[in-house]
Amino acid sequence: MTPFIKVKNLTKEFPIKKGFFNKQVGAVHAVNNIDLEIKKGETLGLVGESGCGKSTAGRCILGLMPPTSGSVKLEGEEITTHDSKTFRALRKRMQIIFQNPYSSLNPRMSVEKILKEPLIIHENFSKKEQKKRVIDLLEMVGLNEGVLGRHPHEFSGGQRQRIGIARALALNPEFIVADEPVSALDISIQAQILNLMQQLKKDLNLTYLFISHDLSVIRYICDRVAVMYLGEIVETAPVKELFENPKHPYTQALLSSVPGAETSKKIILKGDIPSPVNPPSGCKFHTRCLYVMDVCKEKCPQIVKISEEHFANCHLLRSA
């Protein structure tokens, strides 16, 4: 069965330029040869520490920024090589929910104008049809038409994020990248937004890539999880299996940091994430790993299959 989204060897580098002639002197290795598959109707979680490249990967998959190399396929169709006209048609099928509802909505536009904008650009609706669609969108996310004339500053954070979700749904997308959609909200509001997203997924048959650093949120909403470290995917597994049987040392450390985690001991990682400008050789995690071996410093680990849908990249697993 063809995956709904298939990402192969996706790489994104940002050049570092200096001097009078703007010469490139290095690069930020934000995403490094990642592979991902997302099934139709599932929620894949992408988790890792801040700065590991999660959001960059999501934006490259959506085409919001061009990858340096690699492939992204939507139902078997390569989308990274499309011209802007062809990609515009695909844009209706793929949308994003941004992290911060305070900065992702235009403060000068009313709710009605915010939600009408994608309809004006992509659809041939009459004004009457636009108004009806906007009201329907508001009802989907738990708001009513009484807010149409109001501006973003008049709403709470949770209400703003509901408007952001409504905007993402305006064109009836099939795939949504949710980039830390609840991290800027209070805990009580987070639960409401997560429940709303779950219900919308069920009602509209949506597929999510859910990006977060919060493992409790990932555990609640996701079907499978991909763990990212310094631009690379180090482990993927169904959510239950990952939490009960993590194999990569980095995943084990992440899970041990969750309050109330069901782990035998707390793992405290030493030092900071290395710079993506000059990443370590071999396994990128070896500078902080408790089980580092000589081979870790020299060679990149290969994927090890743990079970049918559980994979990890670690020399320790091959030597076990």
Side-chain angles (χ1 to χ4, degrees), residues 217-230:
V217 169
I218 289 288
R219 188 173 195 174
Y220 179 75
I221 199 170
C222 296
D223 302 305
R224 288 190 304 123
V225 187
V227 182
M228 198 167 186
Y229 181 80
L230 204 62

Side-chain angles (χ1 to χ4, degrees), residues 200-216:
L200 290 169
K201 175 189 171 185
K202 181 180 177 181
D203 294 343
L204 304 175
N205 193 26
L206 298 172
T207 302
Y208 289 138
L209 174 63
F210 194 97
I211 299 170
S212 180
H213 65 273
D214 189 330
L215 285 160
S216 59

Side-chain angles (χ1 to χ4, degrees), residues 42-111:
E42 82 165 340
T43 300
L44 175 68
L46 188 58
V47 66
E49 293 171 284
S50 296
C52 71
K54 307 185 298 296
S55 294
T56 300
R59 282 163 168 73
C60 287
I61 291 169
L62 277 183
L64 294 179
M65 56 175 64
T68 304
S69 61
S71 167
V72 180
K73 291 183 179 180
L74 175 65
E75 291 189 310
E77 179 185 0
E78 179 63 49
I79 65 176
T80 58
T81 55
H82 281 329
D83 57 35
S84 57
K85 184 178 179 180
T86 309
F87 197 85
R88 180 171 172 169
L90 283 175
R91 173 61 57 218
K92 294 166 65 173
R93 302 179 65 186
M94 306 185 297
Q95 291 292 315
I96 186 169
I97 301 169
F98 291 100
Q99 175 179 359
N100 191 344
Y102 293 92
S103 61
S104 62
L105 301 176
N106 189 331
R108 297 184 179 184
M109 295 174 69
S110 66
V111 170

Side-chain angles (χ1 to χ4, degrees), residues 273-296:
I273 300 178
S275 170
V277 176
N278 186 27
S281 59
C283 174
K284 302 294 186 290
F285 186 59
H286 84 256
T287 58
R288 303 171 75 194
C289 184
L290 299 177
Y291 314 107
V292 62
M293 304 177 290
D294 288 340
V295 68
C296 303

Side-chain angles (χ1 to χ4, degrees), residues 52-301:
C52 71
K54 307 185 298 296
S55 294
T56 300
R59 282 163 168 73
C60 287
I61 291 169
L62 277 183
L64 294 179
M65 56 175 64
T68 304
S69 61
S71 167
V72 180
K73 291 183 179 180
L74 175 65
E75 291 189 310
E77 179 185 0
E78 179 63 49
I79 65 176
T80 58
T81 55
H82 281 329
D83 57 35
S84 57
K85 184 178 179 180
T86 309
F87 197 85
R88 180 171 172 169
L90 283 175
R91 173 61 57 218
K92 294 166 65 173
R93 302 179 65 186
M94 306 185 297
Q95 291 292 315
I96 186 169
I97 301 169
F98 291 100
Q99 175 179 359
N100 191 344
Y102 293 92
S103 61
S104 62
L105 301 176
N106 189 331
R108 297 184 179 184
M109 295 174 69
S110 66
V111 170
E112 184 173 6
K113 287 183 178 179
I114 288 170
L115 297 184
K116 275 185 178 179
E117 188 175 33
L119 302 176
I120 293 170
I121 294 171
H122 290 278
E123 300 287 3
N124 231 355
F125 287 174
S126 66
K127 290 187 177 181
K128 185 177 179 180
E129 289 171 329
Q130 289 174 9
K131 184 75 171 283
K132 184 180 184 305
R133 178 60 178 162
V134 167
I135 293 171
D136 289 344
L137 288 168
L138 289 173
E139 290 177 352
M140 278 185 201
V141 299
L143 298 172
N144 59 57
E145 63 178 300
V147 306
L148 285 175
R150 293 165 62 184
H151 289 72
H153 72 272
E154 300 178 72
F155 296 93
S156 66
Q159 289 172 322
R160 289 189 196 195
Q161 195 59 295
R162 287 175 186 269
I163 296 167
I165 292 171
R167 180 179 59 184
L169 296 174
L171 301 173
N172 291 314
E174 300 166 63
F175 174 59
I176 292 179
V177 173
D179 187 6
E180 302 264 16
V182 297
S183 64
L185 307 176
D186 294 339
I187 295 295
S188 59
I189 305 301
Q190 286 185 13
Q192 295 175 22
I193 297 299
L194 292 173
N195 289 335
L196 172 64
M197 292 183 66
Q198 288 279 56
Q199 189 61 49
L200 290 169
K201 175 189 171 185
K202 181 180 177 181
D203 294 343
L204 304 175
N205 193 26
L206 298 172
T207 302
Y208 289 138
L209 174 63
F210 194 97
I211 299 170
S212 180
H213 65 273
D214 189 330
L215 285 160
S216 59
V217 169
I218 289 288
R219 188 173 195 174
Y220 179 75
I221 199 170
C222 296
D223 302 305
R224 288 190 304 123
V225 187
V227 182
M228 198 167 186
Y229 181 80
L230 204 62
E232 297 183 352
I233 303 295
V234 298
E235 187 165 6
T236 56
V239 65
K240 187 174 187 293
E241 187 170 347
L242 186 89
F243 276 80
E244 293 179 355
N245 188 29
K247 290 298 184 182
H248 196 282
Y250 178 62
T251 309
Q252 294 170 359
L254 281 183
L255 293 178
S256 78
S257 68
V258 178
E262 304 160 8
T263 52
S264 56
K265 63 176 182 178
K266 293 291 181 184
I267 301 173
I268 308 298
L269 295 179
K270 297 180 179 179
D272 297 322
I273 300 178
S275 170
V277 176
N278 186 27
S281 59
C283 174
K284 302 294 186 290
F285 186 59
H286 84 256
T287 58
R288 303 171 75 194
C289 184
L290 299 177
Y291 314 107
V292 62
M293 304 177 290
D294 288 340
V295 68
C296 303
K297 303 174 184 177
E298 300 166 2
K299 295 182 179 179
C300 294

Side-chain angles (χ1 to χ4, degrees), residues 20-36:
F20 181 78
F21 294 103
N22 208 25
K23 182 179 179 182
Q24 182 172 339
V25 295
V28 176
H29 305 276
V31 178
N32 186 29
N33 283 323
I34 67 167
D35 295 342
L36 286 174

